[in-house]
Amino acid sequence: MGKAGGQPMAIKLIATDLDGTFLNAKREIPAENIKAAQEAAAKGVIFTIATGRMYGSAKFYAEQVGVDVPIITYNGALVMTVEGRELSNSYLEAQEVIDTLRYAQGKGWLILNYEDDQIYVPFYDDRVSGYEENARQKAHVVGWDGLYAHTKRVPKLLLITSGVEETDARAAEIRAALDNRVSATRSVDAYAEIVSPKASKAIAIEALARSYGISMDEVMVCGDSENDRSMLEAAGTAVVMGNAKPHIKALATYVTGSCDEAGVAQAIRKFVL
């Protein structure tokens, strides 16, 4: 199981997913993960975050670690410094946003629209409340008509579902309905993330590594879910969490402990420290 290869190269850049990976089940960063990340950085290794979360939510965690390099948010659709400077984006086209919203509205699906790192929702219910708690961000309730007023700088749309089966089905349905003009993947069980086909964690990590003169063979990534697939396939060292599904573990160079066992710290100690 995992990647074949010869002698591994020294790791110069680490990129980790947040939910189910760097964060534990309580959505907190285990102290061991922070310590290992900081020790790696002290050795000159670049440490960053690559997440489906919005920038404001990702920044909350990056600041706890002391990350001072760009962070990859919205599944690679927006790369920004912790100080708030935008470095790259792959926003959805306005028509793609409109068509996706229209389809979701016709189906009666709950969809979240992100413009300029703000969340807009058509109505408020327990699912939105739970999302707010998870993201540590507040949503603006604007009605269906209000959603269509926010189409200009949208890195991501998000469907909230009842679970894995429905998430995967809706992701496939929305891709087909829009003739693959959007990319849709599952991040956590009940979230289908919709971004531009030009955006992925792998694309963003490759660009970041290139900016530092680092090859992908010198990159280690840590992930657990479908939206981590691209970076797990692209990196020289692909670390998959013990809590991941078997088909994601099959992409691994190394299967580490679970998110509740500080599996990222285990991997950093094995491959970097």
Side-chain angles (χ1 to χ4, degrees):
M1 179 172 69
K3 294 186 175 186
Q7 187 67 26
M9 297 184 71
I11 304 299
K12 295 182 179 178
L13 188 154
I14 301 166
T16 181
D17 173 49
L18 286 176
D19 294 277
T21 302
F22 199 58
L23 308 184
N24 60 23
K26 296 179 180 178
R27 301 190 184 100
E28 299 168 345
I29 309 175
E32 302 97 304
N33 282 352
I34 293 177
K35 187 172 186 289
Q38 291 176 341
E39 288 178 8
K43 288 187 62 174
V45 177
I46 296 163
F47 180 88
T48 193
I49 287 166
T51 179
R53 284 178 178 255
M54 60 194 297
Y55 170 74
S57 182
K59 179 184 175 183
F60 170 80
Y61 293 107
E63 289 176 334
Q64 292 180 49
V65 186
V67 170
D68 60 359
V69 298
I71 56 176
I72 295 162
T73 64
Y74 293 107
N75 285 320
L78 188 63
V79 180
M80 296 183 69
T81 65
V82 177
E83 293 75 28
R85 184 165 58 92
E86 183 178 307
L87 299 180
S88 67
N89 68 71
S90 296
Y91 291 123
L92 288 159
E93 297 290 339
Q95 193 60 51
E96 293 166 352
V97 175
I98 292 167
D99 291 347
T100 304
L101 293 176
R102 186 175 292 132
Y103 192 84
Q105 182 179 6
K107 290 284 187 173
W109 295 347
L110 172 58
I111 189 165
L112 280 61
N113 183 6
Y114 302 78
E115 184 185 65
D116 288 328
D117 214 47
Q118 297 293 311
I119 311 166
Y120 300 93
V121 294
F123 53 83
Y124 196 86
D125 63 11
D126 289 345
R127 293 171 294 176
V128 177
S129 175
Y131 182 87
E132 289 178 323
E133 182 180 354
N134 176 18
R136 298 175 185 268
Q137 304 285 315
K138 296 298 289 183
H140 306 282
V141 183
V142 295
W144 282 106
D145 289 345
L147 289 188
Y148 293 96
H150 301 283
T151 63
K152 301 301 183 188
R153 288 167 53 85
V154 177
K156 184 180 84 170
L157 300 163
L158 177 76
L159 296 170
I160 299 183
T161 76
S162 63
V164 173
E165 186 175 331
E166 188 173 75
T167 299
D168 289 347
R170 288 188 182 181
E173 186 174 340
I174 204 73
R175 288 194 302 268
L178 271 78
D179 298 321
N180 290 312
R181 289 183 290 126
V182 298
S183 173
T185 57
R186 170 165 40 90
S187 53
V188 298
D189 288 357
Y191 294 171
E193 315 248 351
I194 301 165
V195 298
S196 165
K198 299 174 184 176
S200 74
K201 291 185 179 184
I203 292 169
I205 291 169
E206 287 167 354
L208 181 63
R210 200 162 48 242
S211 74
Y212 286 100
I214 295 171
S215 76
M216 288 301 289
D217 288 338
E218 299 168 306
V219 173
M220 180 175 93
V221 300
C222 304
D224 74 303
S225 191
E226 285 293 336
N227 68 327
D228 299 317
R229 178 183 290 274
S230 69
M231 69 177 186
L232 291 168
E233 291 176 337
T237 302
V239 174
V240 175
M241 308 304 293
N243 47 277
K245 297 289 194 297
H247 69 287
I248 300 297
K249 289 180 179 177
L251 304 172
T253 303
Y254 175 68
V255 177
T256 189
S258 74
C259 62
D260 285 330
E261 298 168 329
V264 171
Q266 294 176 26
I268 291 174
R269 298 202 181 286
K270 178 178 177 65
F271 289 101
V272 180
L273 302 177

